[in-house]
Amino acid sequence: MRVMLMQESGNDEPAFRCFLCFGEPNHILTIKPGGFVTIPCHYDEKNPPQKKYWHSDNDKSYIYTNTTEENLSVIDHPDQSLFTVTMRNLQSKHTGHYYCAVETDGQSTDIFVLYLQVQSAPDVSVKSSSVSGHEGDNVSVQCFYSSGYQKKTKQWCRYKDKSCYRVGRTDTSQNSSVQISDDGRSFTVLMTGLRLSDSGWYFCSAGEALNPVQLTVIEAEPVSVTTEKEKWRFCLSQN
């Protein structure tokens, strides 16, 4: 995490000096050349920041929310207290450090730090970066990892509250059941008894390598109850 004091720079790029800087990014994301990725950046819902932006160490760029370019979009979702960054057509030149950052009262803070590596064989990948299921149903996500990560800890984590599940089964009264099975080449996450509150962003991880997944839980349709009188009316109408 880095905390920076902001200074007026007279242009769109925030000028700053480091007030409190420590720690290296412990999240690594690997993507195939030509691929794309969407990264969620959560911020405090009780004290929304005045500005939100995506910062690249490569070109020292600062891309503020609600900006759309050819291969990059940074979109705010205030109803979810997050903004998303979508990078497309990734190439080796895009390898480097990136930061989700927010600014409140002139102070800028990194809320998520990431090292992006563009390479032919991703360390951790998913079959689909977006999955959905109906309320009460089940959903599964398959997460693949390279041979170098076989002995690393495998986890399924939620971005919002940093809650993580490892191999095994976890049941609580407030959350869906989560089970993770590992076959030595990939691990599969099975979520059963989906709740609407399970919707959100998660990531598969093996060690420090991760890949984001968006889960959408669709509200169950109400079950219609046919009365005996309605059944008789239907039968009579067919005669």
Side-chain angles (χ1 to χ4, degrees), residues 156-211:
W156 171 251
C157 302
R158 188 166 190 170
Y159 274 95
K160 185 176 183 179
D161 56 14
K162 306 299 189 296
S163 58
C164 293
Y165 303 89
R166 299 184 180 183
V167 175
R169 189 183 182 93
T170 302
D171 288 291
T172 71
S173 59
Q174 298 180 347
N175 296 296
S176 302
S177 167
V178 178
Q179 183 175 352
I180 303 177
S181 56
D182 186 0
D183 65 10
R185 293 180 301 174
S186 67
F187 64 94
T188 300
V189 179
L190 176 64
M191 297 181 68
T192 60
L194 290 173
R195 296 169 180 261
L196 293 176
S197 58
D198 292 323
S199 290
W201 284 90
Y202 297 77
F203 60 83
C204 294
S205 70
E208 71 282 3
L210 58 81
N211 205 295

